[in-house]
Amino acid sequence: MLAKVYSAVVNGIEACPVEVEVNAGWGDTTIVIVGLPDAAVKESRDRVSTALTNSGYKFPMGRTTINLAPADVKKEGPSFDLPIALGLLAATDQLRADRLQEYMVVGELALTGAVRAVKGVLPIALCARQQRKRGLLVPPPNANEAAVVEGLEVIPVQNLREAAAFLAGEIALSPVRVDVNRLFDQPVEDDVDFAEVKGQESVKRALEIAAAGGHNVLLIGPPGTGKSMLAKRLPTILPPLTLEEALETTKIHSIVGLLRPGQALVTRRPFRAPHHTASDAGLLGGNVNPTPGEVSLAHNGVLFLDELPEFKRSVLETLRQPLEEGRVTISRAAGSVTFPARFMLVAAMNPTPDGKMPGESRCSPREIQNYLNRVSGPLLDRIDLHVEVPAVKFREITADHPAEPSARVRERVVAARLRQQERFRGRPRITCNAHMGPRELKQFCALDATALDLLRYAMNDLQLSARAYDRILKVARTIADLAGSDRIQADHVSEAIQYRTLDRQIWG
Protein backbone atom coordinates (compact mmCIF):
# COMPACT_ATOMS: atom_id res chain seq x y z
CA MET A 1 0.00 0.00 0.00
CA LEU A 2 1.15 3.54 -0.74
CA ALA A 3 0.94 6.35 1.84
CA LYS A 4 2.00 10.00 1.67
CA VAL A 5 3.06 12.30 4.52
CA TYR A 6 3.99 15.97 4.14
CA SER A 7 7.12 17.49 5.65
CA ALA A 8 9.70 20.12 4.67
CA VAL A 9 13.45 20.68 4.36
CA VAL A 10 15.36 23.89 5.07
CA ASN A 11 17.42 25.34 2.22
CA GLY A 12 19.25 28.50 3.22
CA ILE A 13 16.83 30.25 5.59
CA GLU A 14 13.72 29.15 3.72
CA ALA A 15 11.96 25.77 3.72
CA CYS A 16 10.59 23.89 0.75
CA PRO A 17 7.88 21.20 0.99
CA VAL A 18 8.81 17.53 0.87
CA GLU A 19 6.44 14.63 0.17
CA VAL A 20 7.38 11.50 2.10
CA GLU A 21 6.02 8.63 -0.03
CA VAL A 22 6.03 5.19 1.63
CA ASN A 23 5.27 2.02 -0.29
CA ALA A 24 5.05 -1.35 1.51
CA GLY A 25 5.43 -4.23 -0.93
CA TRP A 26 6.49 -7.87 -1.20
CA GLY A 27 9.94 -9.39 -1.08
CA ASP A 28 12.78 -9.56 1.38
CA THR A 29 12.36 -7.42 4.48
CA THR A 30 14.32 -4.25 3.80
CA ILE A 31 13.85 -0.47 3.87
CA VAL A 32 15.18 1.67 1.03
CA ILE A 33 15.27 5.49 1.29
CA VAL A 34 15.70 7.47 -1.93
CA GLY A 35 15.54 11.17 -2.79
CA LEU A 36 19.06 12.51 -2.00
CA PRO A 37 19.10 11.63 1.73
CA ASP A 38 22.19 12.44 3.78
CA ALA A 39 23.69 10.11 6.40
CA ALA A 40 21.33 11.29 9.15
CA VAL A 41 18.28 10.56 6.98
CA LYS A 42 19.60 7.13 5.99
CA GLU A 43 20.16 6.28 9.64
CA SER A 44 16.48 6.94 10.32
CA ARG A 45 15.77 3.39 9.14
CA ASP A 46 17.19 1.96 12.37
CA ARG A 47 15.70 4.67 14.61
CA VAL A 48 12.24 4.37 13.06
CA SER A 49 12.14 0.56 13.06
CA THR A 50 13.16 0.40 16.73
CA ALA A 51 10.74 3.20 17.70
CA LEU A 52 7.88 1.39 15.94
CA THR A 53 8.60 -1.86 17.79
CA ASN A 54 8.99 -0.18 21.19
CA SER A 55 5.76 1.77 20.63
CA GLY A 56 3.78 -1.45 20.17
CA TYR A 57 3.40 -1.36 16.38
CA LYS A 58 4.21 -4.08 13.88
CA PHE A 59 7.30 -3.62 11.79
CA PRO A 60 6.47 -3.87 8.05
CA MET A 61 7.52 -7.11 6.42
CA GLY A 62 8.71 -7.11 2.82
CA ARG A 63 10.44 -4.47 0.76
CA THR A 64 9.55 -0.93 1.82
CA THR A 65 10.53 2.00 -0.39
CA ILE A 66 10.57 5.54 1.03
CA ASN A 67 10.83 8.38 -1.49
CA LEU A 68 11.55 11.96 -0.39
CA ALA A 69 10.29 14.16 -3.20
CA PRO A 70 11.42 16.32 -4.92
CA ALA A 71 14.34 14.00 -5.59
CA ASP A 72 16.77 16.73 -6.70
CA VAL A 73 16.77 18.56 -3.34
CA LYS A 74 19.20 17.28 -0.71
CA LYS A 75 17.49 16.09 2.50
CA GLU A 76 19.42 16.65 5.73
CA GLY A 77 18.95 15.98 9.42
CA PRO A 78 16.78 13.72 11.57
CA SER A 79 13.55 15.72 11.18
CA PHE A 80 12.09 13.13 8.79
CA ASP A 81 11.96 10.38 11.46
CA LEU A 82 8.40 11.11 12.57
CA PRO A 83 6.87 11.56 9.08
CA ILE A 84 8.58 8.35 7.89
CA ALA A 85 7.23 6.43 10.89
CA LEU A 86 3.70 7.74 10.34
CA GLY A 87 3.98 6.89 6.64
CA LEU A 88 4.98 3.32 7.51
CA LEU A 89 1.97 3.00 9.82
CA ALA A 90 -0.36 4.33 7.13
CA ALA A 91 1.15 2.10 4.44
CA THR A 92 0.64 -1.00 6.60
CA ASP A 93 -2.96 -0.10 7.59
CA GLN A 94 -2.02 0.56 11.21
CA LEU A 95 -3.13 4.20 10.83
CA ARG A 96 -6.01 5.74 8.93
CA ALA A 97 -4.50 8.28 6.56
CA ASP A 98 -7.52 10.60 6.27
CA ARG A 99 -5.97 13.53 8.19
CA LEU A 100 -2.41 13.08 6.98
CA GLN A 101 -3.10 15.42 4.06
CA GLU A 102 -4.05 18.28 6.37
CA TYR A 103 -0.81 18.49 8.38
CA MET A 104 2.92 18.81 7.93
CA VAL A 105 5.03 16.69 10.28
CA VAL A 106 8.58 17.12 11.62
CA GLY A 107 10.43 15.47 14.47
CA GLU A 108 13.29 13.20 15.45
CA LEU A 109 12.44 9.89 17.10
CA ALA A 110 14.14 8.37 20.09
CA LEU A 111 14.37 4.58 20.26
CA THR A 112 11.52 4.64 22.78
CA GLY A 113 9.25 6.46 20.32
CA ALA A 114 9.58 9.83 22.06
CA VAL A 115 9.75 12.89 19.79
CA ARG A 116 12.87 15.04 20.08
CA ALA A 117 13.45 18.64 19.06
CA VAL A 118 14.84 19.55 15.63
CA LYS A 119 16.32 22.64 14.00
CA GLY A 120 14.68 25.05 11.58
CA VAL A 121 11.06 24.69 12.72
CA LEU A 122 10.11 28.35 12.15
CA PRO A 123 10.91 28.27 8.38
CA ILE A 124 9.01 24.96 8.16
CA ALA A 125 5.99 26.51 9.89
CA LEU A 126 6.01 29.39 7.41
CA CYS A 127 6.23 26.85 4.58
CA ALA A 128 3.25 24.92 6.01
CA ARG A 129 1.14 28.08 6.03
CA GLN A 130 2.24 28.89 2.49
CA GLN A 131 1.19 25.37 1.42
CA ARG A 132 -2.19 26.04 3.07
CA LYS A 133 -1.89 23.19 5.51
CA ARG A 134 -4.21 23.13 8.47
CA GLY A 135 -1.45 22.57 10.96
CA LEU A 136 1.99 21.31 11.87
CA LEU A 137 2.95 18.44 14.17
CA VAL A 138 6.14 19.34 16.06
CA PRO A 139 8.18 18.23 19.08
CA PRO A 140 7.04 20.03 22.26
CA PRO A 141 10.30 22.07 22.66
CA ASN A 142 9.70 23.55 19.17
CA ALA A 143 6.00 24.35 19.67
CA ASN A 144 6.36 27.99 20.79
CA GLU A 145 8.76 28.71 17.94
CA ALA A 146 6.28 27.46 15.34
CA ALA A 147 3.27 29.06 17.06
CA VAL A 148 4.39 32.61 16.20
CA VAL A 149 3.11 31.89 12.68
CA GLU A 150 -0.51 33.03 12.56
CA GLY A 151 -3.18 30.99 10.82
CA LEU A 152 -1.57 27.61 11.56
CA GLU A 153 -2.46 24.97 14.15
CA VAL A 154 0.73 23.94 15.94
CA ILE A 155 0.24 20.54 17.59
CA PRO A 156 2.97 19.36 20.00
CA VAL A 157 3.27 15.57 20.15
CA GLN A 158 5.17 13.79 22.90
CA ASN A 159 5.71 10.47 21.15
CA LEU A 160 4.85 8.39 18.11
CA ARG A 161 1.71 6.82 19.63
CA GLU A 162 0.30 10.25 20.52
CA ALA A 163 0.92 11.54 16.98
CA ALA A 164 -0.75 8.48 15.44
CA ALA A 165 -3.73 8.68 17.83
CA PHE A 166 -4.23 12.38 17.04
CA LEU A 167 -4.15 11.83 13.28
CA ALA A 168 -6.56 8.88 13.67
CA GLY A 169 -9.00 11.12 15.57
CA GLU A 170 -8.76 9.01 18.73
CA ILE A 171 -7.54 11.88 20.94
CA ALA A 172 -7.77 15.66 20.80
CA LEU A 173 -4.69 17.82 21.27
CA SER A 174 -4.93 21.55 21.83
CA PRO A 175 -2.83 23.72 19.51
CA VAL A 176 -0.20 25.94 21.11
CA ARG A 177 -0.80 29.68 20.90
CA VAL A 178 1.71 32.47 21.46
CA ASP A 179 0.92 36.15 22.00
CA VAL A 180 3.61 37.80 19.91
CA ASN A 181 2.82 41.29 21.19
CA ARG A 182 3.31 40.10 24.75
CA LEU A 183 6.77 38.81 23.86
CA PHE A 184 7.83 42.29 22.78
CA ASP A 185 6.14 43.96 25.75
CA GLN A 186 8.27 42.08 28.27
CA PRO A 187 10.80 44.45 29.87
CA VAL A 188 14.39 43.98 28.74
CA GLU A 189 16.87 43.72 31.60
CA ASP A 190 20.42 44.21 30.38
CA ASP A 191 23.37 42.93 32.36
CA VAL A 192 25.47 45.89 31.24
CA ASP A 193 24.85 49.63 30.94
CA PHE A 194 26.58 52.71 29.55
CA ALA A 195 26.39 54.25 33.02
CA GLU A 196 29.11 51.81 34.10
CA VAL A 197 31.65 53.34 31.69
CA LYS A 198 33.76 56.08 33.30
CA GLY A 199 34.65 58.98 31.04
CA GLN A 200 35.02 58.41 27.26
CA GLU A 201 32.22 60.87 26.48
CA SER A 202 33.46 61.44 22.93
CA VAL A 203 33.46 57.69 22.24
CA LYS A 204 29.95 57.35 23.71
CA ARG A 205 28.81 60.14 21.40
CA ALA A 206 30.26 58.29 18.41
CA LEU A 207 28.53 55.04 19.42
CA GLU A 208 25.25 56.92 19.84
CA ILE A 209 25.59 58.22 16.28
CA ALA A 210 26.43 54.72 15.06
CA ALA A 211 23.39 53.25 16.80
CA ALA A 212 21.09 55.99 15.49
CA GLY A 213 22.11 55.45 11.87
CA GLY A 214 23.19 51.80 11.82
CA HIS A 215 26.79 52.77 11.01
CA ASN A 216 29.96 50.66 11.29
CA VAL A 217 32.55 51.73 13.88
CA LEU A 218 36.29 51.24 14.40
CA LEU A 219 37.58 51.85 17.94
CA ILE A 220 41.34 52.37 18.09
CA GLY A 221 43.31 52.92 21.25
CA PRO A 222 45.75 51.40 23.75
CA PRO A 223 44.78 48.37 25.86
CA GLY A 224 42.72 49.10 28.96
CA THR A 225 40.90 52.13 27.56
CA GLY A 226 37.51 50.37 27.48
CA LYS A 227 37.12 49.48 23.81
CA SER A 228 35.59 46.05 24.47
CA MET A 229 33.57 47.39 27.39
CA LEU A 230 32.00 50.06 25.19
CA ALA A 231 31.34 47.68 22.30
CA LYS A 232 29.54 45.17 24.53
CA ARG A 233 27.21 47.93 25.72
CA LEU A 234 26.26 49.09 22.24
CA PRO A 235 23.23 46.71 21.99
CA THR A 236 21.74 48.39 25.08
CA ILE A 237 21.18 51.62 23.13
CA LEU A 238 19.95 50.06 19.88
CA PRO A 239 16.23 50.32 19.04
CA PRO A 240 14.12 47.20 19.70
CA LEU A 241 13.59 44.63 16.96
CA THR A 242 10.49 44.91 14.80
CA LEU A 243 8.37 41.79 14.27
CA GLU A 244 9.73 41.34 10.75
CA GLU A 245 13.32 41.65 11.98
CA ALA A 246 12.63 39.25 14.86
CA LEU A 247 11.18 36.61 12.52
CA GLU A 248 14.15 36.82 10.16
CA THR A 249 16.65 36.69 13.03
CA THR A 250 14.83 33.79 14.67
CA LYS A 251 14.90 31.79 11.43
CA ILE A 252 18.68 32.03 11.29
CA HIS A 253 19.13 31.08 14.95
CA SER A 254 16.62 28.24 14.55
CA ILE A 255 18.53 26.75 11.62
CA VAL A 256 21.77 26.74 13.62
CA GLY A 257 20.03 25.40 16.74
CA LEU A 258 20.71 28.38 19.02
CA LEU A 259 17.14 28.77 20.30
CA ARG A 260 16.52 27.66 23.86
CA PRO A 261 13.91 24.90 24.39
CA GLY A 262 10.52 26.60 24.43
CA GLN A 263 11.82 29.92 23.08
CA ALA A 264 9.40 31.48 20.63
CA LEU A 265 11.28 34.46 19.16
CA VAL A 266 14.60 36.25 19.34
CA THR A 267 13.41 39.59 20.71
CA ARG A 268 16.82 41.14 21.46
CA ARG A 269 19.35 42.22 18.90
CA PRO A 270 22.14 39.65 18.65
CA PHE A 271 25.72 40.41 19.65
CA ARG A 272 28.36 38.13 18.13
CA ALA A 273 32.06 38.33 19.01
CA PRO A 274 34.06 35.65 17.14
CA HIS A 275 37.68 35.00 18.11
CA HIS A 276 40.40 36.35 15.82
CA THR A 277 41.36 32.78 14.90
CA ALA A 278 38.00 32.31 13.12
CA SER A 279 38.18 31.00 9.55
CA ASP A 280 36.39 32.49 6.57
CA ALA A 281 33.88 29.60 6.73
CA GLY A 282 33.25 30.33 10.41
CA LEU A 283 32.72 34.01 9.72
CA LEU A 284 30.74 33.83 6.47
CA GLY A 285 29.29 30.33 6.78
CA GLY A 286 29.78 27.41 4.48
CA ASN A 287 31.35 23.98 4.96
CA VAL A 288 30.10 21.06 2.86
CA ASN A 289 26.48 21.83 3.69
CA PRO A 290 26.24 25.65 3.77
CA THR A 291 25.13 26.91 7.18
CA PRO A 292 24.99 30.50 8.49
CA GLY A 293 28.22 31.96 9.83
CA GLU A 294 28.89 34.70 12.36
CA VAL A 295 27.95 37.50 9.96
CA SER A 296 24.48 35.97 9.52
CA LEU A 297 24.08 35.17 13.22
CA ALA A 298 24.70 38.89 13.82
CA HIS A 299 21.94 39.84 11.34
CA ASN A 300 19.95 42.83 12.68
CA GLY A 301 22.48 43.08 15.50
CA VAL A 302 26.17 43.73 16.19
CA LEU A 303 29.27 41.87 14.96
CA PHE A 304 32.22 42.73 17.22
CA LEU A 305 35.72 41.98 15.95
CA ASP A 306 38.24 42.57 18.72
CA GLU A 307 41.94 42.84 17.82
CA LEU A 308 41.03 43.48 14.18
CA PRO A 309 44.57 43.21 12.71
CA GLU A 310 44.96 39.76 14.30
CA PHE A 311 42.31 38.32 11.96
CA LYS A 312 43.63 36.77 8.78
CA ARG A 313 43.57 39.31 5.99
CA SER A 314 41.74 36.87 3.71
CA VAL A 315 39.03 36.55 6.38
CA LEU A 316 38.64 40.32 6.70
CA GLU A 317 38.39 40.80 2.96
CA THR A 318 35.40 38.44 2.84
CA LEU A 319 33.45 41.05 4.83
CA ARG A 320 33.20 43.35 1.81
CA GLN A 321 30.10 41.73 0.30
CA PRO A 322 27.98 41.60 3.48
CA LEU A 323 29.02 45.14 4.45
CA GLU A 324 27.94 46.48 1.06
CA GLU A 325 24.95 44.28 0.20
CA GLY A 326 23.62 43.07 3.56
CA ARG A 327 23.79 39.43 2.50
CA VAL A 328 26.36 36.73 1.82
CA THR A 329 26.28 34.17 -0.98
CA ILE A 330 28.02 30.83 -0.48
CA SER A 331 28.69 28.83 -3.63
CA ARG A 332 29.40 25.12 -3.62
CA ALA A 333 29.42 22.42 -6.28
CA ALA A 334 25.85 21.45 -5.37
CA GLY A 335 24.61 25.04 -5.72
CA SER A 336 24.64 28.42 -4.00
CA VAL A 337 22.88 29.61 -0.86
CA THR A 338 22.27 33.21 0.19
CA PHE A 339 21.99 34.19 3.86
CA PRO A 340 21.01 37.64 5.14
CA ALA A 341 23.86 39.49 6.86
CA ARG A 342 22.86 43.08 7.59
CA PHE A 343 24.69 43.92 10.79
CA MET A 344 26.56 46.74 12.51
CA LEU A 345 30.29 46.07 12.44
CA VAL A 346 32.13 47.22 15.55
CA ALA A 347 35.88 46.63 15.38
CA ALA A 348 38.58 47.36 17.95
CA MET A 349 42.34 47.47 17.57
CA ASN A 350 45.55 48.78 19.09
CA PRO A 351 47.36 51.60 17.27
CA THR A 352 50.71 49.74 17.30
CA PRO A 353 51.90 46.15 17.85
CA ASP A 354 52.90 46.88 21.48
CA GLY A 355 49.61 48.69 22.14
CA LYS A 356 51.01 52.19 22.62
CA MET A 357 50.28 55.29 20.58
CA PRO A 358 52.68 55.87 17.62
CA GLY A 359 54.67 58.61 19.40
CA GLU A 360 55.18 56.45 22.50
CA SER A 361 55.74 53.05 20.86
CA ARG A 362 59.15 51.36 20.81
CA CYS A 363 58.27 49.63 17.53
CA SER A 364 59.96 50.83 14.38
CA PRO A 365 57.94 52.75 11.78
CA ARG A 366 58.11 49.74 9.45
CA GLU A 367 56.74 47.42 12.17
CA ILE A 368 53.91 49.84 12.90
CA GLN A 369 53.10 50.23 9.21
CA ASN A 370 53.12 46.45 8.62
CA TYR A 371 50.82 46.00 11.60
CA LEU A 372 48.36 48.62 10.38
CA ASN A 373 48.49 47.37 6.80
CA ARG A 374 46.83 44.15 7.92
CA VAL A 375 43.60 46.14 7.67
CA SER A 376 43.14 47.10 4.03
CA GLY A 377 42.07 50.52 2.83
CA PRO A 378 38.93 49.19 1.06
CA LEU A 379 37.76 47.67 4.34
CA LEU A 380 38.43 50.92 6.22
CA ASP A 381 36.43 52.82 3.63
CA ARG A 382 33.43 50.62 4.50
CA ILE A 383 33.65 51.60 8.18
CA ASP A 384 31.78 54.86 8.73
CA LEU A 385 33.27 56.09 12.01
CA HIS A 386 36.92 55.79 13.06
CA VAL A 387 37.08 56.71 16.73
CA GLU A 388 40.17 57.21 18.88
CA VAL A 389 39.71 55.82 22.40
CA PRO A 390 42.12 57.71 24.71
CA ALA A 391 43.33 56.56 28.11
CA VAL A 392 40.89 57.30 30.94
CA LYS A 393 42.09 60.02 33.30
CA PHE A 394 42.27 59.43 37.05
CA ARG A 395 39.72 62.13 37.84
CA GLU A 396 37.23 60.45 35.48
CA ILE A 397 37.71 57.06 37.13
CA THR A 398 37.15 58.47 40.63
CA ALA A 399 34.33 60.88 39.69
CA ASP A 400 31.19 60.55 41.85
CA HIS A 401 28.68 61.96 39.36
CA PRO A 402 26.79 59.16 37.57
CA ALA A 403 27.21 58.69 33.83
CA GLU A 404 24.24 58.79 31.48
CA PRO A 405 22.41 55.43 31.47
CA SER A 406 21.71 53.41 28.34
CA ALA A 407 17.94 53.94 28.62
CA ARG A 408 18.28 57.70 28.16
CA VAL A 409 20.63 57.32 25.19
CA ARG A 410 18.28 54.75 23.65
CA GLU A 411 15.43 57.27 23.74
CA ARG A 412 17.38 59.65 21.49
CA VAL A 413 18.40 56.77 19.21
CA VAL A 414 14.81 55.57 18.85
CA ALA A 415 13.62 59.12 18.08
CA ALA A 416 16.26 59.44 15.33
CA ARG A 417 15.31 56.04 13.90
CA LEU A 418 11.63 57.08 13.78
CA ARG A 419 12.60 60.10 11.69
CA GLN A 420 14.44 57.78 9.31
CA GLN A 421 11.52 55.35 9.07
CA GLU A 422 9.26 58.22 8.11
CA ARG A 423 11.81 59.45 5.56
CA PHE A 424 12.24 56.05 3.94
CA ARG A 425 8.57 55.07 3.96
CA GLY A 426 7.86 53.03 0.85
CA ARG A 427 11.47 51.79 0.63
CA PRO A 428 11.37 48.45 2.51
CA ARG A 429 15.06 47.65 1.95
CA ILE A 430 16.21 50.89 3.61
CA THR A 431 15.59 51.02 7.36
CA CYS A 432 18.29 53.47 8.47
CA ASN A 433 20.71 56.03 7.07
CA ALA A 434 23.56 53.54 6.68
CA HIS A 435 21.52 51.66 4.05
CA MET A 436 21.05 54.65 1.74
CA GLY A 437 22.11 54.32 -1.88
CA PRO A 438 23.18 57.03 -4.36
CA ARG A 439 19.57 57.96 -5.14
CA GLU A 440 18.69 58.48 -1.47
CA LEU A 441 21.92 60.40 -0.83
CA LYS A 442 21.04 62.84 -3.60
CA GLN A 443 17.46 63.22 -2.36
CA PHE A 444 17.94 63.42 1.42
CA CYS A 445 21.51 64.67 1.91
CA ALA A 446 21.55 67.99 0.06
CA LEU A 447 24.11 70.46 1.43
CA ASP A 448 24.11 74.25 1.49
CA ALA A 449 27.07 76.21 0.13
CA THR A 450 28.89 76.43 3.48
CA ALA A 451 28.65 72.73 4.22
CA LEU A 452 29.60 71.86 0.64
CA ASP A 453 32.74 74.03 0.77
CA LEU A 454 33.72 72.44 4.08
CA LEU A 455 33.38 68.96 2.63
CA ARG A 456 35.31 69.93 -0.51
CA TYR A 457 38.29 71.14 1.54
CA ALA A 458 38.23 67.95 3.62
CA MET A 459 38.16 65.72 0.55
CA ASN A 460 41.14 67.52 -1.00
CA ASP A 461 43.27 67.87 2.15
CA LEU A 462 42.68 64.35 3.52
CA GLN A 463 42.61 62.66 0.10
CA LEU A 464 39.43 60.78 0.98
CA SER A 465 37.88 58.32 -1.45
CA ALA A 466 34.49 58.60 -3.13
CA ARG A 467 33.17 55.93 -0.77
CA ALA A 468 34.37 58.00 2.20
CA TYR A 469 32.43 60.97 0.74
CA ASP A 470 29.25 58.91 0.83
CA ARG A 471 29.98 57.75 4.38
CA ILE A 472 30.44 61.34 5.56
CA LEU A 473 27.07 62.32 4.08
CA LYS A 474 25.33 59.39 5.76
CA VAL A 475 26.89 60.13 9.15
CA ALA A 476 26.07 63.83 8.80
CA ARG A 477 22.46 62.92 8.03
CA THR A 478 22.34 60.85 11.24
CA ILE A 479 23.85 63.67 13.30
CA ALA A 480 21.17 65.99 11.91
CA ASP A 481 18.48 63.46 12.83
CA LEU A 482 19.77 63.29 16.42
CA ALA A 483 19.63 67.08 16.52
CA GLY A 484 16.07 67.06 15.14
CA SER A 485 17.12 69.02 12.03
CA ASP A 486 15.53 68.48 8.64
CA ARG A 487 18.57 69.84 6.82
CA ILE A 488 22.25 68.97 7.18
CA GLN A 489 24.14 71.94 8.62
CA ALA A 490 27.84 72.75 8.42
CA ASP A 491 28.45 71.68 12.03
CA HIS A 492 26.90 68.28 11.27
CA VAL A 493 29.29 67.82 8.35
CA SER A 494 32.22 68.99 10.47
CA GLU A 495 31.52 66.38 13.15
CA ALA A 496 31.09 63.68 10.51
CA ILE A 497 34.45 64.57 8.90
CA GLN A 498 36.33 64.13 12.16
CA TYR A 499 35.26 60.49 12.21
CA ARG A 500 37.04 59.96 8.85
CA THR A 501 40.34 61.59 9.69
CA LEU A 502 41.74 59.04 12.12
CA ASP A 503 42.68 56.52 9.46
CA ARG A 504 44.49 59.20 7.45
CA GLN A 505 46.38 60.56 10.46
CA ILE A 506 47.73 57.17 11.52
CA TRP A 507 47.71 55.10 8.31
CA GLY A 508 48.98 57.95 6.18
Side-chain angles (χ1 to χ4, degrees):
M1 181 178 174
L2 178 65
K4 185 184 295 185
V5 183
Y6 292 93
S7 188
V9 63
V10 177
N11 183 18
I13 66 167
E14 305 298 335
C16 60
V18 172
E19 295 181 2
V20 181
E21 299 174 318
V22 181
N23 184 78
W26 300 98
D28 296 335
T29 301
T30 182
I31 297 179
V32 179
I33 302 178
V34 297
L36 279 183
D38 71 347
V41 179
K42 292 178 180 179
E43 291 172 354
S44 67
R45 291 176 296 192
D46 299 319
R47 290 193 299 269
V48 169
S49 60
T50 306
L52 285 172
T53 303
N54 290 335
S55 299
Y57 294 107
K58 296 179 181 179
F59 184 74
M61 306 301 292
R63 180 181 178 85
T64 303
T65 303
I66 301 169
N67 179 39
L68 307 177
D72 59 345
V73 176
K74 189 172 182 60
K75 318 303 186 306
E76 302 172 356
S79 61
F80 293 103
D81 288 2
L82 183 57
I84 287 175
L86 293 173
L88 286 170
L89 293 179
T92 55
D93 292 328
Q94 299 180 76
L95 169 65
R96 292 206 315 266
D98 300 341
R99 303 178 67 184
L100 277 176
Q101 312 300 316
E102 302 176 9
Y103 293 87
M104 269 191 182
V105 184
V106 292
E108 177 185 350
L109 283 179
L111 299 184
T112 60
V115 182
R116 290 174 172 166
V118 295
K119 301 176 182 178
V121 168
L122 178 56
I124 292 174
L126 293 168
C127 176
R129 184 178 65 178
Q130 185 180 12
Q131 294 295 312
R132 299 185 178 180
K133 295 297 180 182
R134 177 178 174 181
L136 175 67
L137 269 63
V138 297
N142 298 123
N144 288 341
E145 174 189 348
V148 300
V149 179
E150 297 181 355
L152 187 71
E153 290 184 7
V154 177
I155 309 296
V157 289
Q158 300 285 345
N159 49 59
L160 176 58
R161 291 202 66 89
E162 188 175 76
F166 170 77
L167 291 172
E170 298 172 0
I171 62 173
L173 297 177
S174 300
V176 174
R177 304 191 185 282
V178 172
D179 187 350
V180 176
N181 294 327
R182 187 175 180 181
L183 294 176
F184 286 97
D185 291 340
Q186 294 178 355
V188 176
E189 296 182 0
D190 294 307
D191 298 331
V192 294
D193 196 282
F194 259 102
E196 301 162 351
V197 181
K198 299 290 186 179
Q200 305 294 16
E201 298 303 324
S202 61
V203 185
K204 292 179 184 178
R205 166 65 177 176
L207 291 179
E208 179 181 343
I209 295 171
H215 303 289
N216 304 318
V217 188
L218 172 63
L219 304 176
I220 181 167
T225 54
K227 300 187 296 293
S228 300
M229 187 178 185
L230 286 159
K232 291 176 181 178
R233 282 152 179 77
L234 179 59
T236 65
I237 64 173
L238 290 175
L241 286 170
T242 64
L243 177 58
E244 183 180 354
E245 290 175 332
L247 286 172
E248 199 168 42
T249 304
T250 304
K251 284 198 290 185
I252 299 172
H253 286 239
S254 174
I255 293 167
V256 182
L258 293 181
L259 295 184
R260 301 185 306 273
Q263 183 179 3
L265 274 179
V266 175
T267 56
R268 302 179 65 179
R269 294 191 180 273
F271 180 87
R272 304 293 300 182
H275 194 259
H276 59 77
T277 57
S279 64
D280 51 355
L283 202 62
L284 291 187
N287 299 320
V288 178
N289 301 320
T291 54
E294 292 291 341
V295 296
S296 296
L297 293 173
H299 182 59
N300 292 321
V302 176
L303 178 67
F304 176 48
L305 302 183
D306 200 4
E307 302 295 342
L308 186 66
E310 300 299 330
F311 284 81
K312 295 179 182 178
R313 180 153 183 162
S314 61
V315 173
L316 294 179
E317 294 307 304
T318 59
L319 291 174
R320 293 190 188 184
Q321 182 194 15
L323 286 176
E324 283 293 321
E325 302 178 9
R327 64 180 184 272
V328 58
T329 301
I330 303 169
S331 298
R332 294 293 182 267
S336 63
V337 177
T338 299
F339 295 112
R342 191 175 292 281
F343 54 87
M344 281 183 60
L345 174 63
V346 180
M349 62 177 291
N350 298 325
T352 59
D354 60 3
K356 298 180 180 179
M357 296 302 291
E360 305 169 353
S361 175
R362 295 184 178 180
C363 300
S364 67
R366 175 178 287 275
E367 290 175 329
I368 296 176
Q369 194 63 41
N370 290 339
Y371 174 77
L372 298 175
N373 283 342
R374 296 180 187 177
V375 184
S376 68
L379 179 60
L380 285 174
D381 277 345
R382 288 169 169 83
I383 300 178
D384 304 341
L385 294 91
H386 307 158
V387 184
E388 183 178 356
V389 185
V392 184
K393 296 180 175 59
F394 177 79
R395 66 174 182 272
E396 295 175 334
I397 299 176
T398 57
D400 292 332
H401 62 275
E404 189 175 31
S406 295
R408 194 178 305 165
V409 181
R410 189 192 300 121
E411 291 177 0
R412 297 195 294 268
V413 170
V414 170
R417 285 287 184 108
L418 290 176
R419 294 177 66 90
Q420 295 167 47
Q421 290 176 11
E422 185 64 28
R423 179 184 304 127
F424 303 131
R425 187 180 299 276
R427 296 175 172 87
R429 293 193 61 190
I430 302 177
T431 58
C432 57
N433 289 333
H435 303 163
M436 285 192 293
R439 185 177 303 174
E440 288 77 25
L441 284 174
K442 183 177 181 180
Q443 182 176 356
F444 302 117
C445 297
L447 302 179
D448 57 23
T450 304
L452 194 59
D453 288 340
L454 179 63
L455 186 53
R456 181 185 301 111
Y457 294 141
M459 291 289 296
N460 293 333
D461 291 345
L462 301 177
Q463 299 180 356
L464 299 177
S465 67
R467 184 179 283 112
Y469 172 82
D470 291 345
R471 303 288 176 181
I472 291 174
L473 287 181
K474 293 176 183 180
V475 173
R477 178 67 267 173
T478 300
I479 296 172
D481 289 336
L482 284 170
S485 174
D486 292 331
R487 295 189 60 84
I488 299 177
Q489 307 295 336
D491 57 334
H492 304 149
V493 174
S494 176
E495 185 176 0
I497 291 173
Q498 78 172 2
Y499 296 123
R500 296 302 310 181
T501 58
L502 185 60
D503 57 329
R504 301 309 170 190
Q505 290 173 359
I506 293 181
W507 275 266

